[in-house]
């Protein structure tokens, strides 16, 4: 049989979690194979590129969509758990499509679409030329790319949170070096000793003699945490002790508005704040903890080639 369409995976995936028990990725895939009656050949079908298994790809995107709508959560790697929102949805529905997910603002923001009001009726005007609102293929490609990057960033940040505090500090130093700080110096970056670091977790030397340095503080906090002004004030004090003028405070969580204001206006030092969202984006941009899976090359007509002088041919 043909593999079911992607959105057909949404409801049975969520339904499998209805009893509240955690389900592993392997258990979910086995369930979906049985639910759809897939043969080994069906579940091994690949995309046109031949590099991706369709079934695996659809399971992965189903997980992402449900998680973005906050219908499920990932308590740990490779494990799925339904949320109270997911349970409430199943009480009143027997199917699930993207139009249903758009009722949740978190998913709508993720998908870059307008949220749909619950129970609302959308009336389509006959005089509206629907082609005017359709994105071009280029726009669709760019939109799809942004969604993939958002998902990668979320997974990457989750992976960073699974690391030890010491490993996180090394990741931060590696990122700073990849961004070009420290130049070509072999010993440009270092992680300070784990104990008695006086609020400094890493140091980047910007010149061979180490006359100019960037001091780093790295805090691996849960995503929901907020770092306030006192933490930035303490970091500024640590910089004072080092007689330093430059500091970077990097966290997996976020900063309060007061913390950002203090860093920008009040601190006597130049302090740059990088939150979890920015951290993941920089790691993707500078290839820290990620690798290229596939490259798409978009080409255009070379007008110069066709407009050349015939005598030059």
């Amino acid at each position: 049989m043909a593999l079911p369409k992607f959105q057909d995976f949404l409801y049975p995936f969520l339904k499998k979690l209805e009893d509240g028990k955690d389900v592993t990725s392997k258990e979910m895939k086995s369930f979906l194979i049985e639910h759809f009656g897939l043969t080994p050949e069906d579940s091994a079908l690949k995309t046109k590129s031949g590099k991706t298994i369709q079934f695996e790809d659809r399971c992965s995107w189903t997980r992402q969509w449900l998680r973005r709508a906050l219908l499920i959560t990932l308590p740990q790697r490779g494990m799925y758990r339904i949320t109270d929102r997911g349970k409430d949805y199943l009480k009143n529905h027997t199917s699930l499509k993207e139009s249903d997910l758009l009722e949740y603002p978190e998913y709508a923001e993720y998908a870059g679409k307008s949220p749909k009001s619950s129970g609302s009726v959308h009336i389509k005007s006959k005089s509206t030329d629907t082609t005017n609102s359709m994105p071009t293929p280029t726009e669709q490609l760019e939109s799809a790319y942004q969604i993939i990057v958002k998902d990668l960033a979320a997974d990457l940040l989750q992976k960073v949170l699974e690391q030890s505090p010491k490993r996180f500090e090394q990741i931060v130093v590696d990122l700073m070096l990849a961004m070009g700080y420290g130049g070509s110096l072999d010993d440009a970056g270092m992680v300070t000793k784990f104990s008695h670091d006086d609020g400094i977790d890493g140091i980047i030397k910007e010149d061979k003699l180490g006359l100019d340095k960037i001091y780093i503080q790295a805090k691996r906090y849960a995503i929901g945490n907020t770092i306030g002004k006192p933490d930035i004030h303490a970091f500024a004090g640590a910089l004072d002790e080092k007689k330093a003028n430059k500091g970077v405070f990097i966290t997996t969580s976020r900063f309060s508005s007061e913390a950002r204001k203090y860093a920008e206006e009040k601190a006597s030092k130049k302090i740059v704040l990088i939150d979890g969202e920015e951290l993941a984006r920089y790691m993707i941009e500078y290839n820290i903890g990620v690798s290229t899976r596939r490259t798409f090359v978009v080409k255009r007509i070379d007008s110069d080639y066709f407009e050349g002088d015939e005598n030059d041919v």
Side-chain angles (χ1 to χ4, degrees), residues 13 22-32 55-56 59-60 63 76-80:
F13 192 113
D22 291 351
V23 174
T24 66
S25 174
K26 183 177 180 180
E27 290 170 339
M28 181 62 74
K29 290 175 183 177
S30 297
F31 164 74
L32 291 172
F55 176 75
E56 298 279 349
C59 287
S60 177
R63 176 202 69 186
Q76 62 186 61
R77 185 179 182 185
M79 192 76 71
Y80 310 132

Side-chain angles (χ1 to χ4, degrees), residues 226-233 254-267 273:
T226 299
I227 292 179
K229 175 183 173 181
D231 294 285
I232 310 305
H233 187 273
R254 59 189 178 186
F255 298 99
S256 69
S257 57
E258 292 80 8
R260 289 192 176 278
K261 184 176 181 179
Y262 178 80
E264 294 174 2
E265 302 176 2
K266 303 298 182 180
L273 306 182

